[in-house]
Amino acid sequence: MYWTEFLTVALVHLLAVASPGPDFAVVVRESVTRGQRSGTWMAMGVGSGILVHVGYSLLGIGLIVSQSIVLFNLFKWLAAGYLFWLGFQALRAKPMPAAASVVDGEAMEPRTARRAFTVGFITNGLNPKATLFFLSLFTVVIDPHTPLAVQAGYGVYLAFATALWFSVVAWLFSRARVRAGFARMGHWFDRVTGVVLVGLGIRLAASELT
């Protein structure tokens, strides 16, 4: 009896996850510069971050955050600061040595699976826009009479679908031909990504609770 509701949730989530944002930017950069393995771990971190939003939405904490300007602003500035940090790290990228190749090996210093996962998790978990998205999802789209077990099932699906989507993104942007091109122009890609991340941070910092 919940299939119609589930399909609505899945469609709304698909439209949201497919739109470029901080998650997309960090996964693409990780996949291009460090390869599919690192990009996939970051995708798993992003997917796991979804469970944080689902958890507090089920507990009703998201409603408190959405109604408190102080809490929202605290969350917002933490997220904006993190995006600034990621962006400035990318802006500092330098041209690779002539002998370096992102196809034959890692041109950048390898990142551990835990580190890649953590970056993805924090990027998604600190996004207050995701807070408002999941709050809206669990209060407007999902019937309040839907059992918590079923709602939790929706949340597990959303986390899995997010991780799967960004794993596909990691696979696409870690292909040899793509990485070979970035071996020559990768530092410019990093700098553009840095500008995007800083821009997202500024946009987030300027956002207001509505």
Side-chain angles (χ1 to χ4, degrees), residues 41-80:
W41 275 109
M42 190 166 287
M44 296 301 170
V46 171
S48 297
I50 295 294
L51 294 176
V52 174
H53 302 297
V54 171
Y56 61 61
S57 294
L58 292 177
L59 293 173
I61 297 176
L63 182 61
I64 297 175
V65 173
S66 72
Q67 298 300 318
S68 171
I69 295 178
V70 174
L71 287 178
F72 178 83
N73 284 336
L74 176 62
F75 208 37
K76 178 183 72 174
W77 283 108
L78 283 174

Side-chain angles (χ1 to χ4, degrees), residues 76-77 79-81 83-84 88 195-207:
K76 178 183 72 174
W77 283 108
L83 289 177
F84 287 147
F88 287 128
V195 171
V196 171
L197 288 171
V198 171
L200 288 169
I202 293 173
R203 180 179 178 183
L204 178 57
S207 64

Side-chain angles (χ1 to χ4, degrees), residues 62-190:
L63 182 61
I64 297 175
V65 173
S66 72
Q67 298 300 318
S68 171
I69 295 178
V70 174
L71 287 178
F72 178 83
N73 284 336
L74 176 62
F75 208 37
K76 178 183 72 174
W77 283 108
L78 283 174
Y82 187 67
L83 289 177
F84 287 147
W85 181 79
L86 289 176
F88 287 128
Q89 289 290 104
L91 286 171
R92 294 172 57 193
K94 299 178 181 179
M96 300 175 186
S101 171
V102 293
V103 178
D104 299 330
E106 299 293 343
M108 294 186 68
E109 181 181 350
R111 196 197 299 270
T112 64
R114 178 182 295 182
R115 175 62 177 165
F117 180 93
T118 301
V119 171
F121 183 85
I122 294 176
T123 300
N124 183 273
L126 280 181
N127 188 351
K129 294 298 184 182
T131 299
L132 298 181
F133 170 77
F134 279 92
L135 176 64
S136 300
L137 189 67
F138 278 83
T139 56
V140 178
V141 178
I142 299 176
D143 192 301
H145 298 294
T146 299
L148 282 179
V150 175
Q151 295 188 44
Y154 294 163
V156 172
Y157 163 78
L158 295 173
F160 174 79
T162 300
L164 179 61
W165 164 258
F166 284 111
S167 292
V168 172
V169 171
W171 178 82
L172 287 173
F173 283 89
S174 63
R175 296 303 85 200
R177 182 174 298 181
V178 175
R179 300 188 76 198
F182 282 101
R184 299 186 300 272
M185 304 294 293
H187 61 293
W188 288 111
F189 171 76
D190 270 353

